[in-house]
């Protein structure tokens, strides 16, 4: 997309979002017309047929100039800022599957991370020191295993998970309940800036949107919807983390909870989740074991082919110790296998070598890693010698 | 039973036990003849028809004099020592229901405790200080709620549960994997003596039987079989406590486990049980809540009547604040209600006042307590004013 075309699309999407039309109407409009520009050009009768009332139609023609200007300024302030719409092929595939997907996402950072298999690590803002250490432990290990770590930028468990992932050189995504330009709490502004550079920050709210109580449960549905599973590290019995876990369960995602001492009030929420059916996990490996088949399924679904699966099965049935090339699989699979060596290479290099995008490579690599054919450390990949 | 009749029955039972005949054969013999004396009088052909081989028949006529003499001496050493057979009406009712009930139990102390609703508290010999404190916490609260606390006299969790129950003035039963006269480990000899005085010590092995590896899992089945449920406080992944828990589950009893820190190796066994379906418990109240309906069922079964249940239902549907007499129930229920006052009374006094035995009163009182009509503290009972 050329810059001017992108700007026109951003402007159209902003008008749609700021019209105040229901999210379902916006998604249907984008489905019908394929882009914000086309939806905006369709006119009042078409808008009304998609459920926009008179006020929304008026706002669509004459958006609030302050909000519109602020959002447009934010989008043009950096090439790393974008607005990802429901109509865009890069809209995160797992998020598409939830009951109420947001029609648009403001993204600061690398939108390709939204395609990487993600696990959310969440928990109490008033976590214990042990809880924060456990969040860091799980985030580090799961990030090194190739999973993207999602969280909500809150104090406590969220911040510990984000920070440990950055430390480990892993991928992390912060899902905000404010506009993408505001840290909440403000003390996490430094962390937010680091995530925007090394990971991705996303929000369904336009830049400048302040924190409001109702926005946080809504944010939690996005976090749960992006992730294959949610790990609750420590949580009180009534807490946002439990809402995220419940939403994850409703969306068919895995819910994991760490147990703790019966004398730790911050373990109560986790214990409640376990009683309600969440998986009790003691180690990051417990999480990986459960997610491995889901990552494979996701990789297959994303690539629209069973080639990876058959490749994995081929690998599993191969005699050990025989150093073969990649098993029978499709061309992309073979290209990736050849691009991998016994020296660690990063994702960008692999993208260059294969001609595949990072979004395509991430799930393929994680599947190969979980299958034991590829090792990943600090975001660099090597073949495992057999 | 007169002393001489009791001695004759003890002698007959000892001969049967020391014959080395299979437990199932002994139970069938006792079922057929109704007592040890009658079974012993039945003669070789009858014994053989119950599955005793020639060696067992010979041993039945000529028991090993050392073992026989030692057991008889132990039984006559104290009026608090007895041998409870499968044929006796006081044989513990829940233990009758397991797959392989012992044909006889040596008892030191009060055999009526074996009729009281029991919860087993078990766990690691190498428990942490926190684990021992939790065992004491649960034992104290559950004993004060009127449950008998069963355990295995081992170091660690077992000893902590027994000792705390004695401290709280509650009822405790030690189930041994040695003869009833031997403490294992020997360091718990003092505790064993206290339990023999204030509670009950039981074993399926004759006095003098030393500790042998195979006897402890066998002991665990008795502990599990006596109890309505088993609480595992701390346990390694491979441990006797997990065997007890598994046996309890197989016998249809409840299995409870306390969670702990993911960094506590002694919590691993508990976490494994929780993953396998054990109930995660944080407080003694969690245990009581689950056991309450089972205690009611047990009370009904023991009294062979639905009177208590209907009494409870009557109480539940009664308008609060109305100080009625006991609701429609049978005579025993009414007698007990009248014997209770607003000043605390102990079990012996209630037994005197009602003419009911302690074994009959215990489950009735616990059912009334769990239903909120009676308060129990330190083994004394009062009506709760409505």
């Amino acid at each position: 997309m050329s810059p001017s075309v992108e700007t026109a699309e951003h402007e159209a999407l902003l008008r749609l979002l700021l019209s105040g039309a229901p999210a379902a109407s916006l998604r249907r409009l984008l489905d019908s017309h394929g882009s914000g520009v086309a939806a905006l050009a369709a006119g009042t009768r078409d808008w009304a047929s998609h459920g926009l009332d008179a006020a929304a139609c008026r706002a669509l023609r004459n958006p609030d100039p302050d909000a519109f200007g602020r959002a447009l300024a934010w989008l043009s302030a950096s090439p790393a800022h974008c607005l990802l719409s429901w109509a865009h092929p890069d809209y995160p595939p797992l998020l598409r599957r939830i009951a109420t997907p947001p029609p648009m996402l403001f993204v600061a950072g690398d939108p390709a991370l939204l395609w990487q298999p993600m696990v959310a690590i969440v928990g109490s803002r008033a976590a214990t020191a042990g809880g924060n250490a456990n969040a860091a432990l799980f985030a580090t290990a799961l990030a090194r295993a190739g999973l993207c770590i999602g969280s909500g930028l809150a104090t406590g468990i969220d911040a510990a998970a984000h920070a440990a992932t950055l430390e480990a050189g892993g991928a992390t995504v912060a899902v905000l309940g404010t506009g993408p330009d505001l840290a909440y709490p403000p003390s996490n502004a430094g962390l937010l800036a680091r995530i925007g550079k090394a990971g991705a920050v996303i929000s369904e709210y336009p830049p400048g949107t302040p924190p409001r109580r109702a926005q946080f449960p809504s944010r939690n549905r996005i976090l749960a919807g992006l992730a294959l599973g949610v790990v609750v590290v420590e949580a009180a019995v009534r807490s946002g983390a439990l809402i995220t876990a419940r939403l994850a369960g409703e969306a068919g995602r895995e819910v994991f909870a760490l147990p703790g001492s019966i004398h730790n009030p911050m373990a109560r929420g986790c214990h409640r989740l376990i009683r309600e059916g969440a998986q009790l996990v003691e180690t990051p490996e417990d999480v990986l074991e459960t997610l491995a088949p889901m990552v494979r399924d996701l990789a297959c679904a994303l690539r629209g082919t069973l080639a990876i699966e058959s490749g994995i099965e081929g690998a599993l049935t191969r005699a050990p110790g025989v150093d073969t090339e990649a098993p029978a699989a499709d061309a992309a699979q073979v290209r990736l296998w050849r691009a991998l060596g016994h020296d660690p290479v990063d994702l960008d290099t692999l993208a260059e070598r294969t001609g595949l995008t990072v979004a395509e490579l991430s799930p393929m690599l994680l599947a190969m890693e979980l299958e034991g054919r590829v090792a990943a450390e600090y975001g660099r990949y090597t073949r495992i010698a057999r």
Side-chain angles (χ1 to χ4, degrees), chain A:
Chain A
M1 220 184 269
S2 76
S4 62
V5 172
E6 189 175 71
T7 305
E9 178 66 8
H10 278 165
E11 286 186 16
L13 291 172
L14 282 177
R15 282 169 181 268
L16 287 164
L17 186 63
L18 298 172
S19 73
S25 297
L26 293 181
R27 288 196 307 270
R28 281 206 305 276
L29 260 177
L30 291 166
D31 276 335
S32 300
H33 301 288
S35 75
V37 168
L40 192 64
T44 311
R45 187 168 299 176
D46 182 83
W47 301 340
S49 78
H50 285 87
L52 272 66
D53 62 13
C57 291
R58 270 196 308 278
L60 200 46
R61 294 196 187 281
N62 299 295
D64 174 69
D66 283 354
F68 187 72
R70 192 165 49 226
L72 213 55
W74 184 83
L75 284 167
S76 54
S78 161
H81 292 176
C82 74
L83 182 55
L84 195 53
S85 93
W86 177 251
H88 199 285
D90 284 350
Y91 190 92
L94 286 181
L95 192 58
R96 271 196 201 280
R97 301 186 196 167
I98 71 171
T100 55
M104 291 161 219
L105 289 172
F106 292 88
V107 183
D110 183 1
L113 294 184
L114 305 179
W115 278 67
Q116 199 169 323
M118 182 193 290
V119 64
I121 297 183
V122 299
S124 175
R125 292 190 299 273
T128 65
N132 287 331
N134 286 339
L137 178 81
F138 274 68
T140 303
L142 295 172
R144 285 190 181 161
L147 288 164
C148 177
I149 308 299
S151 198
L153 198 77
T155 325
I157 300 296
D158 286 18
H162 286 304
T165 306
L166 291 172
E167 286 298 310
T172 192
V173 170
V175 185
L176 306 193
T178 59
D181 55 336
L182 290 180
Y184 186 79
S187 55
N188 280 341
L191 183 59
L192 180 68
R194 287 167 65 204
I195 297 170
K197 274 191 196 114
V201 172
I202 67 171
S203 171
E204 64 181 319
Y205 303 109
T209 307
R212 291 186 200 100
R213 186 179 290 266
Q215 288 165 195
F216 290 86
S218 183
R219 173 275 303 271
N220 292 344
R221 95 187 189 285
I222 299 178
L223 181 55
L226 283 167
L228 291 166
V230 172
V231 179
V232 182
V233 178
E234 268 192 345
V237 169
R238 298 179 182 283
S239 65
L242 259 56
I243 295 174
T244 307
R246 187 171 54 74
L247 293 169
E250 285 171 8
R253 312 301 161 83
E254 290 295 322
V255 180
F256 306 95
L258 274 69
S261 162
I262 59 170
H263 304 289
N264 177 4
M266 288 300 137
R268 299 253 163 85
C270 291
H271 294 161
R272 179 170 172 177
L273 288 174
I274 292 166
R275 283 182 178 137
E276 292 171 359
Q279 188 185 332
L280 182 158
V281 288
E282 292 176 300
T283 64
E285 289 69 36
D286 290 340
V287 176
L288 283 175
E289 203 173 293
T290 299
L291 291 186
M294 302 173 67
V295 169
R296 281 188 215 118
D297 290 350
L298 178 66
C300 292
L302 297 187
R303 308 204 44 253
T305 163
L306 281 166
I308 286 182
E309 190 71 90
S310 68
I312 285 165
E313 282 177 9
L316 286 171
T317 54
R318 238 180 309 152
V322 182
D323 186 1
T324 55
E325 278 293 296
D330 76 357
Q333 178 86 355
V334 173
R335 284 214 300 281
L336 172 56
W337 186 250
R338 288 191 175 148
L340 285 160
H342 297 285
D343 293 318
V345 274
D346 64 20
L347 261 177
D348 288 340
T349 310
L350 287 173
E352 262 176 46
R353 288 185 187 170
T354 59
L356 298 167
T357 66
V358 169
E360 285 171 318
L361 285 169
S362 291
M364 292 170 70
L365 283 164
L366 186 56
M368 292 165 92
E369 190 193 343
L370 289 164
E371 199 271 311
R373 295 163 62 202
V374 163
E377 209 169 26
Y378 302 102
R380 299 165 78 88
Y381 300 83
T382 44
R383 285 192 196 181
I384 288 176
R386 287 176 184 260

